[in-house]
Amino acid sequence: GKEKKVKEKKLSKKELLLLSIQAKKAKGTENKLEGEWRELEKSLALSNNAVAKIKDLEDFVKRCISGDQKKLALQVDLRKLQECKSAWGEDRQGHSSNMKFAIQTVEVVRTLLTVHAEALREVGKNAAAAAEARVEVVMTLIQLGFIDAAQAISDSLVAKTDKEARENLDEEVKELSRMQRAKLSVFSKSSPQFQLEHMGHLLPRPPPKVKDPRITTFTPDEWQRELLDVVDNRESALVSAPTSSGKTFISYYCMEKVMREKSQDGIVVFVAPTKALINQIAAQVYGAFHDKF
């Protein structure tokens, strides 16, 4: 039989009016922000204060995002990337040991790859702007000395089906690797090493989702669950993690495990650097296990 055509829902006058108001409001916000952006660009051209310029751009891009002006937000973040690179280049030439602008440069790259991921893969009428943004991101990574990261990211920025865009970006990566390699080097062997050394406080830490029956008071991180497995398997491990990340808790798990053993021959050695810390840990251990002593 013939397929029935699905009738499109006809909007009421009220709904049409609301849509019209929303469209006008969005256009008004867009025009207002674009006007302010032109004024900000003039202000940036007259200023030599890198810190102030980057702060102004940070504040403005927040307004663009809250106003749902994604295209303009991408443009502002790309300008912010240029300002961060310029500031880092001057610091680097002056042999400054302050990595602030280098850190901000990498942070903007990460923002471009996450917040603006969709815009970077744009096709159609915005394809040219997206291609320029992709090249800027890849070039920055190459200039910082992160060649492997640049190659890996360039592979993810273009759809496999878009052969022409992929070939163009591959050629750009080769040329940039030859001409711009480590021009703004941050003196690290790799992007992960740089982030671990200088950006620990900025790295995203998604909340743990997988519960573990061995822990009832909180949901452990993946590394904590893996470490519990190491303890249960009587294996060895070396753990390096920030303060208050949950290392001491694992030692309590070791203590409880030893106390549950029937032989009572097990030993847990807890080493602390100061007497004050030893007294603190001793009090915590007694408070946690006094009923088992």
Side-chain angles (χ1 to χ4, degrees):
K2 292 182 179 179
E3 289 184 7
K4 290 183 179 179
K5 290 185 177 179
V6 179
K7 271 190 174 183
E8 291 185 12
K9 184 184 175 183
K10 193 174 181 180
L11 298 175
S12 66
K13 288 183 179 180
K14 181 181 177 181
E15 288 172 324
L16 288 170
L17 181 61
L18 286 172
L19 285 174
S20 175
I21 292 170
Q22 288 172 357
K24 286 179 181 178
K25 187 176 179 182
K27 190 65 179 175
T29 302
E30 180 183 352
N31 291 339
K32 182 183 177 185
L33 286 172
E34 284 183 351
E36 290 181 21
W37 172 233
R38 288 191 288 271
E39 291 302 314
L40 179 56
E41 283 188 300
K42 292 176 186 176
S43 173
L44 294 172
L46 296 172
S47 174
N48 292 320
N49 187 331
V51 174
K53 288 197 286 185
I54 292 168
K55 180 67 169 62
D56 287 343
L57 288 164
E58 283 177 355
D59 292 341
F60 191 73
V61 80
K62 287 176 184 175
R63 293 183 57 208
C64 292
I65 292 171
S66 65
D68 199 29
Q69 300 302 312
K70 297 177 182 178
K71 187 177 176 182
L72 184 57
L74 172 61
Q75 191 178 344
V76 177
D77 267 332
L78 286 170
R79 177 58 186 270
K80 181 183 169 186
L81 180 62
Q82 292 172 4
E83 294 293 345
C84 289
K85 287 201 301 182
S86 175
W88 166 238
E90 290 181 14
D91 263 12
R92 186 175 177 276
Q93 287 175 1
H95 303 288
S96 171
S97 58
N98 188 347
M99 305 296 287
K100 177 177 67 177
F101 292 122
I103 291 168
Q104 286 182 312
T105 301
V106 176
E107 185 67 6
V108 179
V109 168
R110 190 166 64 189
T111 298
L112 288 165
L113 292 171
T114 52
V115 176
H116 303 292
E118 189 177 329
L120 290 176
R121 295 174 176 82
E122 191 81 43
V123 293
K125 64 178 182 179
N126 295 320
E132 288 181 19
R134 289 195 294 265
V135 170
E136 185 64 34
V137 168
V138 171
M139 179 172 67
T140 299
L141 290 169
I142 290 170
Q143 289 174 329
L144 295 172
F146 305 146
I147 309 298
D148 292 345
Q151 291 172 338
I153 286 170
S154 68
D155 288 340
S156 69
L157 287 176
V158 182
K160 292 180 180 179
T161 53
D162 194 345
K163 291 184 180 179
E164 184 180 352
R166 180 168 285 275
E167 287 173 4
N168 289 340
L169 189 56
D170 286 344
E171 286 300 317
E172 288 281 4
V173 170
K174 288 178 185 176
E175 183 65 17
L176 289 169
S177 297
R178 187 173 66 84
M179 301 293 293
Q180 299 285 335
R181 189 184 187 96
K183 188 178 178 181
L184 296 171
S185 173
V186 292
F187 317 112
S188 289
K189 292 180 181 178
S190 66
S191 173
Q193 180 184 335
F194 177 81
Q195 291 179 71
L196 288 171
E197 285 180 345
H198 303 287
M199 299 179 65
H201 61 296
L202 295 171
L203 295 177
R205 289 179 172 81
K209 297 178 181 178
V210 181
K211 292 189 178 294
D212 192 296
R214 294 168 291 186
I215 302 176
T216 57
T217 53
F218 65 95
T219 303
D221 290 323
E222 184 178 354
W223 71 268
Q224 290 174 314
R225 287 190 285 107
E226 290 176 356
L227 194 52
L228 291 176
D229 291 339
V230 168
V231 174
D232 288 343
N233 295 331
R234 304 182 75 85
E235 296 171 345
S236 299
L238 176 64
V239 182
S240 176
T243 302
S244 300
S245 60
K247 300 186 297 295
T248 304
F249 166 78
I250 304 300
S251 67
Y252 289 170
Y253 180 76
C254 295
M255 294 174 195
E256 189 173 9
K257 194 171 180 65
V258 166
M259 290 178 182
R260 285 201 304 264
E261 292 179 351
K262 293 180 181 179
S263 66
Q264 296 186 342
D265 292 330
I267 296 174
V268 175
V269 178
F270 191 105
V271 180
T274 65
K275 188 173 181 180
L277 187 55
I278 289 172
N279 291 336
Q280 178 187 328
I281 295 297
Q284 290 174 347
V285 170
Y286 183 78
F289 303 113
H290 67 277
D291 58 330
K292 294 183 175 65
F293 284 129

